[in-house]
Amino acid sequence: MSQKQWELLGVRGLSATDESAEEFTGTLLIHPVGSAEPVEAIQIRVKRSILAEMQANLSRLLKRSTRFTPPPR
């Protein structure tokens, strides 16, 4: 039996109580791939260390992407 696959549509409201927080809260918007099911909103808590790891991994992935152009700062 194959596992259900999910498509990540967005992250909303990812915030913390202060700028030195170690944990952030927000909402993941997901949708089952190939399904007519509606979008689901899941409340999440994410540690700062995980966000830093994701940033490093996504940055490397996007740099290898031939069509990615970083937004101006």
Side-chain angles (χ1 to χ4, degrees):
M1 180 184 256
S2 64
Q3 288 185 318
K4 189 180 229 182
Q5 291 188 357
W6 296 88
E7 178 181 9
L8 177 61
L9 301 175
V11 179
R12 291 215 176 126
L14 200 57
S15 62
T17 55
D18 63 59
E19 59 191 35
S20 63
E22 289 298 317
E23 189 171 271
F24 300 82
T25 59
T27 304
L28 280 183
L29 301 174
I30 61 173
H31 176 79
V33 174
S35 172
E37 291 182 42
V39 172
E40 292 189 37
I42 300 172
Q43 299 300 309
I44 59 167
R45 290 187 301 168
V46 184
K47 297 209 179 287
R48 179 181 292 276
S49 60
I50 297 301
L51 291 176
E53 182 180 327
M54 289 175 66
Q55 178 192 24
N57 289 331
L58 291 172
S59 179
R60 275 195 305 275
L61 175 65
L62 290 173
K63 282 180 185 175
R64 290 194 312 254
S65 174
T66 58
R67 295 184 184 181
F68 177 71
T69 304
R73 288 187 175 212

